[in-house]
Amino acid sequence: AAFAAFSGRTIVVGKDVSGTVTAEIKDQPWDVALNAVLRTQGLAAREDGNGIIMVDSYKNLATTRAVEP
């Protein structure tokens, strides 16, 4: 939610993603910081054609990508 508020972007989180992450980020672009936080949690982000950022496990994002037309 903090990244969405700061970036002004829509971020949708997969149904299997839960928990709390605490991070102190200084002097980094929001997208670099988001990707660093996601990697430490074993997650990834993908932006769709409408500019919506989807956050989920690598496996779930790969599966979604494989079944999309």
Side-chain angles (χ1 to χ4, degrees):
F3 281 104
F6 181 79
S7 67
R9 307 289 298 276
T10 299
I11 300 176
V12 178
V13 179
K15 66 179 181 174
D16 297 330
V17 177
S18 65
T20 302
V21 175
T22 302
E24 185 174 330
I25 300 165
K26 296 181 181 179
D27 300 323
Q28 295 295 318
W30 71 267
D31 55 338
V32 172
L34 175 62
N35 284 322
V37 170
L38 293 177
R39 279 194 313 273
T40 64
Q41 302 303 309
L43 301 170
R46 181 173 76 92
E47 188 172 346
D48 73 6
N50 297 314
I52 296 173
I53 299 171
M54 295 176 286
V55 172
D56 211 334
S57 68
Y58 290 101
K59 179 182 174 185
N60 287 349
L61 286 178
T63 300
T64 301
R65 186 172 290 215
V67 298
E68 289 179 343

